[in-house]
Amino acid sequence: MGFRQVQVQTDSLSAIQLIGSAGERHPHLALISEVRRLQALDWRVEIIHVYREGNVVADYLASLGHGRPPGDHFVDA
C-alpha cells in the first residue's frame, strides 16, 4: 500500500520484548523472525505499548472481526 511510516500498537509487553530479544530456541521463533524481517524493510516501524483499556482501535477491529470467517480481512479506514 506504499506506507513509509507505520505505528503498531499492542497491549502485549511480552510480545514487544520477544521481538527485541527472543532466543534462537523460542517456540514462536518463525513468527518473531518474520516480524523482525518486516521491521528491517525500507520503512519506519514503531512498536509501542498501549494499555488494553485505552486501545479503542483494537476494540473496534475486534468488533469488526466478530462473526467473520477465518482468514485475512482488510479494513480501509
Side-chain angles (χ1 to χ4, degrees):
M1 297 180 89
F3 296 113
R4 303 298 296 153
Q5 295 185 32
V6 176
Q7 183 182 76
V8 177
Q9 298 179 356
T10 179
D11 61 7
S12 175
L13 277 174
S14 59
I16 294 172
Q17 292 167 346
L18 284 172
I19 292 167
S21 64
E24 294 300 314
R25 298 183 66 108
H26 193 278
H28 300 295
L29 184 60
L31 178 60
I32 294 165
S33 296
E34 180 64 9
V35 171
R36 290 175 181 165
R37 184 191 71 76
L38 290 170
Q39 279 185 296
L41 295 176
D42 189 24
W43 60 350
R44 183 173 175 261
V45 179
E46 179 182 22
I47 301 175
I48 62 169
H49 176 258
V50 294
Y51 291 98
R52 181 169 293 160
E53 298 79 13
N55 196 348
V56 294
V57 173
D59 289 340
Y60 174 72
L61 291 173
S63 69
L64 283 178
H66 184 71
R68 290 190 181 200
D72 295 334
H73 299 278
F74 296 91
V75 178
D76 188 11

